[in-house]
């Protein structure tokens, strides 16, 4: 049985269910096909490696463990899944919608950031930062203020027809801790919790999603700091470049897609980049959101 979905302006056909994704219209030709078969335990000539992944130009191997299996991504169009004997569809979907999907987007020439994104009245903004900085809480608060959600955790960028860098609508799902959900008035009773995301609840966000890509106006690096009050600093030159580089999700291989580097340069040139520091001891999401919504780009 096959399942066909749309995400990041792509149609994906899988052999397992991904309930978080919207179904694709019938008779839509998939851009990416997931099939099941044998995958290697190691890539032949990896140029980048992590604990559970390897990458070489045009190929990415993800080892999802006993509850999932191995995913081999090739050319941004093909994914081969070798299921573990004890694989669970829920875990397959979790791994696929995270690092596997990010690899597909990179291989298709997109620039992938570890960031959340929303469409504000001034345009799209992305919020990056370390785990626990408050990215998802900030995104949820922006949505509560009437902004449209683009994506949570993985932001995919491409050049639009007008040469502007645009962010694509991603998975219509927010990940919130219990404290954050309570503070925002979200009811998460009965929703699944993801231990890979600090036991955050997966909150459906279909109604809050932007329907079209949006030009990216700003990138915020959200960081906790000692002291009171917020500090917002626009960055320039090498500091701006360094912050954008730290936001990249996964390996950026020069041999994989040369178009990513002009895209990187366009992002640095077009988007305003800010360091946004918020107090560690007094986490006021309203102050952070007020700053994002009132800052001029």
């Amino acid at each position: 049985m096959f399942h066909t979905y749309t995400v990041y302006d792509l149609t994906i056909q899988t052999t397992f269910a991904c309930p978080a994704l919207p179904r694709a219209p019938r008779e839509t030709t998939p851009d990416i096909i997931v099939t099941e078969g044998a995958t290697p335990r190691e890539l032949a000539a990896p140029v980048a490696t992590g604990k559970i992944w390897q990458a070489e130009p045009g190929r990415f191997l993800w080892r999802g463990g006993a509850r999932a299996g191995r995913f081999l991504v090739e050319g941004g169009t093909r994914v081969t899944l070798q299921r573990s004997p004890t694989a669970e569809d829920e875990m397959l979907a979790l791994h696929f919608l995270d690092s596997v999907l990010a690899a597909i987007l990179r291989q298709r020439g997109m620039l992938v950031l570890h960031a959340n994104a929303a469409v504000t009245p001034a345009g799209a903004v992305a919020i990056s930062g370390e785990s626990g900085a408050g990215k998802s809480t900030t995104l949820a608060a922006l949505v509560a203020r009437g902004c449209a959600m683009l994506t949570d955790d993985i932001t995919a960028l491409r050049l639009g027809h007008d040469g502007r860098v645009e962010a694509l609508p991603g998975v219509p799902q927010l990940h919130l801790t219990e404290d954050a959900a309570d503070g925002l008035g979200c009811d998460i009773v009965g929703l699944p919790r993801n231990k890979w995301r600090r036991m955050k609840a997966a909150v459906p966000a279909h109604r809050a999603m932007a329907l079209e890509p949006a030009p990216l106006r700003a990138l915020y690096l959200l960081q906790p700091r000692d002291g009171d009050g917020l500090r917002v600093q626009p960055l320039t030159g090498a500091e701006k470049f360094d912050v954008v580089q730290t936001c990249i999700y996964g390996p950026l291989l020069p041999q994989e897609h040369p178009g990513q580097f002009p895209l990187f340069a366009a992002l640095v040139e077009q988007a305003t980049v800010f360091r946004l520091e918020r107090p560690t001891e007094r986490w006021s999401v309203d102050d952070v959101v007020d700053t994002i919504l009132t800052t001029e780009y």
Side-chain angles (χ1 to χ4, degrees):
M1 179 178 179
F2 294 103
H3 308 267
T4 309
Y5 303 102
T6 59
V7 65
Y8 293 111
D9 208 19
L10 297 169
T11 301
I12 300 175
Q13 179 179 286
T14 70
T15 57
F16 49 87
C18 294
L21 296 181
R23 294 278 183 178
R26 289 189 177 185
E27 309 304 324
T28 304
T29 301
D31 301 291
I32 298 103
I33 297 176
V34 180
T35 59
E36 300 203 18
T39 64
R41 293 183 178 275
E42 307 276 343
L43 293 182
V47 296
T49 61
K51 287 185 178 179
I52 57 176
W53 60 268
Q54 294 180 328
E56 60 188 27
R59 302 181 89 213
F60 178 85
L61 179 67
W62 178 261
R63 296 186 286 258
R67 294 174 64 192
R70 293 195 298 272
F71 293 87
L72 178 65
V73 184
E74 297 179 287
T77 60
R78 301 181 305 280
V79 179
T80 305
L81 163 65
Q82 183 168 347
R83 285 181 185 248
S84 165
T86 53
E88 305 166 11
D89 274 15
E90 180 181 357
M91 292 300 295
L92 290 171
L94 186 152
H95 287 287
F96 181 80
L97 295 179
D98 197 60
S99 295
V100 176
L101 185 53
I104 292 170
L105 298 170
R106 286 194 301 270
Q107 289 182 4
R108 296 183 71 88
M110 299 181 202
L111 190 63
V112 183
L113 305 182
H114 185 200
N116 300 346
V119 182
T120 74
V125 300
I127 304 105
S128 188
E130 298 290 338
S131 177
K135 300 186 298 295
S136 295
T137 305
T138 301
L139 174 61
L142 285 167
V143 170
R145 296 278 194 100
C147 299
M149 175 178 160
L150 279 165
T151 184
D152 183 11
D153 199 50
I154 297 176
T155 294
L157 306 176
R158 71 181 181 194
L159 284 178
H161 297 301
D162 59 357
R164 298 289 301 175
V165 176
E166 59 185 21
L168 302 175
V171 180
Q173 186 171 258
L174 267 165
H175 295 90
L176 296 175
T177 63
E178 187 169 345
D179 288 345
D182 288 344
L184 293 167
C186 295
D187 183 6
I188 60 173
V189 174
L191 293 178
R193 305 299 175 92
N194 187 344
K195 70 177 182 179
W196 305 104
R197 296 180 184 267
R198 300 167 51 239
M199 292 305 293
K200 290 183 177 181
V203 182
H206 293 77
R207 294 181 180 179
M209 289 293 292
L211 300 179
E212 301 290 340
L216 186 68
R217 296 296 306 278
L219 170 64
Y220 287 87
L221 180 63
L222 184 60
Q223 296 177 315
R225 74 172 185 92
D226 295 332
D228 294 326
L230 296 182
R231 289 201 306 210
V232 186
Q233 178 188 4
L235 305 178
T236 60
E239 199 170 20
K240 181 179 182 180
F241 180 91
D242 290 343
V243 165
V244 173
Q245 196 167 34
T246 64
C247 298
I248 299 295
Y249 191 110
L252 186 60
L253 306 183
Q255 315 95 316
E256 192 164 64
H257 205 294
Q260 288 175 325
F261 289 89
L263 180 53
F264 184 100
L267 171 61
V268 172
E269 178 183 357
Q270 296 176 16
T272 307
V273 178
F274 298 92
R275 179 175 286 108
L276 177 53
E277 297 177 322
R278 55 91 170 171
T280 302
E281 300 300 326
R282 190 182 63 83
W283 171 209
S284 173
V285 67
D286 287 335
D287 292 344
V288 170
V289 170
D290 285 342
T291 298
I292 292 173
L293 292 179
T294 57
T295 299
E296 295 184 1
Y297 310 129

